[in-house]
Structures are given as C-alpha cells and as structure tokens.
Amino acid sequence: AIGLIGVGPTAVFAAEGHEHHETDKGGKIKIPDTVEGIFKEIHERHIELAEVVKNKKLDEVHHLAFAIRDLAKALPAKASAEHKKRVEAAVRKIAVLAEALDTSGDAGDQARTEANLKRLDAVLKTLQTEFGIKAQDGDQAIQ
C-alpha cells in the first residue's frame, strides 16, 4: 500500500513496509569509527553498486544504495566546522539519490538507474573532496 505523507508540493509517497535501514547479512550495518574507514566501506559498496548496475542486476541496487546512504550519514559528525555544512548537504543528496536508485532499480529502469548512479558518483566525489580524500586506485565508479 502506498500512502501520501505531507501535503502540497512537498508531499512524499511512502510505501508501507518499505522503510529501508540497510543491513549486511541480516545484521545491522557497522559504521566504522574513522573517516577513512567509512570511506573504505562506501568505496567497496559503490564499486559493487556500479557492477550490479552494469550487469543489469537492478533488484540488488537498493541494499547497496541504502548502505552507502547509512554510511554517509555518519560523516557530518566527523567533519570540521569549516566543511560541516557542505558535508551535510552532500549527505542529504546521497539520501535522495539512494531513494531514486531504489525506485529506478525496483522499476527495472536501467537507463534511469545508470543516470542516478552517475549523479551519486559526482556527489561521492564531492564528499571525498570535502575530507581531502583522493579517489582510490582501481576505483571504477568514481571518476
């Protein structure tokens, strides 16, 4: 069942029972304590996400997108005051893109999922820049 949350132009559709709190292998996702650890986990899932999209396994998109979102949510608390607002903005964009990836993946829309992934690539690159982290060697998703 789909319900409408809010009214007016900011209304959001929410599917009952479709709330996502990403877990790994049936357990709660573990958020590393360090910025480097968080980015390592994001990087691994981002590479995997790029592979599942490339291989048209769109039913696997949502759990990776939401894992990236959940990991990114830990970053604003670790950002310097100088970068905090930009990091928070990037994390909000990642949350929106995770929802978009979930929607396009569930719909089996390859073209839209690829476009959403490309937008996610750009936001993750911006987020890395805010923390002074360079793209890792062999990083095929972030270019």
Side-chain angles (χ1 to χ4, degrees):
I2 295 181
L4 184 61
I5 300 173
V7 289
T10 58
V12 178
F13 288 95
E16 283 181 29
H18 203 59
E19 177 66 22
H20 291 285
H21 294 288
E22 194 46 50
T23 59
D24 282 347
K25 310 292 183 254
K28 189 155 176 56
I29 191 168
K30 182 174 181 341
I31 307 293
D33 294 330
T34 66
V35 168
E36 293 77 13
I38 293 168
F39 274 108
K40 181 178 183 288
E41 292 293 324
I42 288 173
H43 172 75
E44 289 173 6
R45 284 168 178 83
H46 190 212
I47 293 298
E48 193 175 345
L49 177 60
E51 282 297 309
V52 300
V53 171
K54 178 182 163 188
N55 294 321
K56 299 182 168 129
K57 297 180 179 178
L58 300 186
D59 57 331
E60 296 178 29
V61 166
H62 70 274
H63 78 274
L64 294 164
F66 287 117
I68 291 168
R69 175 204 64 190
D70 292 350
L71 287 158
K73 283 182 176 182
L75 290 169
K78 299 185 180 307
S80 67
E82 175 186 344
H83 295 274
K84 191 172 187 83
K85 288 207 181 301
R86 289 189 300 270
V87 169
E88 288 171 339
V91 170
R92 283 192 299 273
K93 287 179 187 174
I94 289 169
V96 168
L97 288 168
E99 290 290 340
L101 281 158
D102 176 44
T103 300
S104 62
D106 286 353
D109 188 334
Q110 183 72 29
R112 182 165 287 155
T113 303
E114 288 173 0
N116 288 329
L117 177 60
K118 194 170 268 201
R119 287 195 275 290
L120 179 65
D121 294 348
V123 177
L124 288 174
K125 188 173 182 181
T126 298
L127 194 57
Q128 285 181 313
T129 301
E130 290 299 327
F131 283 95
I133 294 174
K134 302 220 184 295
Q136 297 180 21
D137 288 341
D139 193 338
Q140 300 156 351
I142 301 175
Q143 298 180 6

